[in-house]
Amino acid sequence: MDTGDVRIDNPAEFPPQEDTVERLWTPQRMTYVLRNSENRPTQPKTKECPFCAGPKKSDEDGLIAWRGTFVFAIMNLYPYNVGHLMICPYRHVGMITDLDDAELFEFEKATTLAMTVMKEVSHPDGWNIGINQGEVAGAGVAAHLHQHVVPRWNGDANFMPIVAQTRTMPILLGDQRAAYAEAFQRLAADFGLPSDVQH
Ligand SMILES: [Zn+2]
């Protein structure tokens, strides 16, 4: 489709696909693809670890949806799917085996809270949840542990490649963060978690 300078993807080029086990790991593939394309989102110039830098900013600037005692929830700048969230420890450690018991408990408890938040905010039909441990396994930021929580909707596979390339994603991210943050604050106590811990 020729529309001058604006590229519009043809949905017919992204036919529906069956979900397979392989798709569980595609979020990282998309991050990798975007990083190596001309259309990649602007990367921060600082070399500081993004998961250490994020909580130092305001919730809005850092795209933080929730702050717990040991872990926090942050929007993925390079989402595979709308509403892609990550649970990270504040501590800069790479492996889930590096977490102590209190961190590990909140890390997983926050993951279940995130699922419940998504249920209320956007009613997904399913989720991809997982951790890539080490660069060889596809971790974009291997040095700082993060658990992906990716909501899925029936039939989403055919339009996600288009959504991931649109320029409107940053606006969606901000709106999504605000909607998540409200639900996190409201629901955290049901999970025995603090609603908002300032560090
Ligand atoms: Zn870090």
Side-chain angles (χ1 to χ4, degrees):
M1 188 182 306
D2 184 5
T3 54
D5 291 330
V6 180
R7 176 186 167 194
I8 298 177
D9 291 306
N10 179 358
E13 292 170 10
F14 300 94
Q17 302 168 29
E18 280 186 28
D19 266 345
T20 65
V21 172
E22 189 190 1
R23 293 195 64 80
L24 180 61
W25 307 110
T26 51
Q28 286 60 56
R29 198 173 306 153
M30 181 57 72
T31 302
Y32 184 79
V33 168
L34 288 173
R35 276 189 180 157
N36 290 281
S37 75
E38 290 176 11
N39 297 321
R40 69 180 185 273
T42 308
Q43 298 254 31
K45 298 249 168 21
T46 169
K47 283 181 181 169
E48 185 178 10
C49 166
F51 300 135
C52 287
K56 294 175 186 166
K57 301 174 187 170
S58 69
D59 288 356
E60 289 78 10
D61 289 347
L63 292 172
I64 307 288
W66 174 76
R67 297 171 191 257
T69 305
F70 304 106
V71 308
F72 61 96
I74 184 169
M75 306 299 297
N76 192 318
L77 264 180
Y78 313 102
Y80 166 60
N81 214 352
V82 173
H84 182 171
L85 196 66
M86 294 175 295
I87 306 296
C88 305
Y90 292 106
R91 218 154 53 84
H92 183 88
V93 294
M95 296 283 171
I96 193 168
T97 45
D98 295 325
L99 297 181
D100 65 28
D101 286 355
E103 290 170 325
L104 185 60
F105 180 78
E106 197 178 84
F107 186 74
E108 295 298 355
K109 198 74 183 174
T111 301
T112 63
L113 170 56
M115 285 180 65
T116 306
V117 162
M118 288 175 181
K119 259 189 220 172
E120 287 226 347
V121 171
S122 50
H123 314 290
D125 299 310
W127 286 265
N128 290 125
I129 293 179
I131 310 169
N132 299 313
Q133 294 277 239
E135 277 177 30
V136 68
V141 183
H144 197 137
L145 176 66
H146 50 286
Q147 173 132 278
H148 297 274
V149 186
V150 183
R152 300 298 303 269
W153 292 267
N154 291 323
D156 63 15
N158 59 345
F159 72 84
M160 279 316 141
I162 305 169
V163 173
Q165 291 174 28
T166 60
R167 299 287 181 181
T168 56
M169 191 57 89
I171 298 166
L172 292 177
L173 277 174
D175 289 348
Q176 196 84 48
R177 187 214 68 81
Y180 279 172
E182 186 279 324
F184 264 108
Q185 293 227 352
R186 185 159 40 81
L187 297 168
D190 295 344
F191 287 75
L193 294 170
S195 61
D196 188 26
V197 178
Q198 293 302 318
H199 285 258

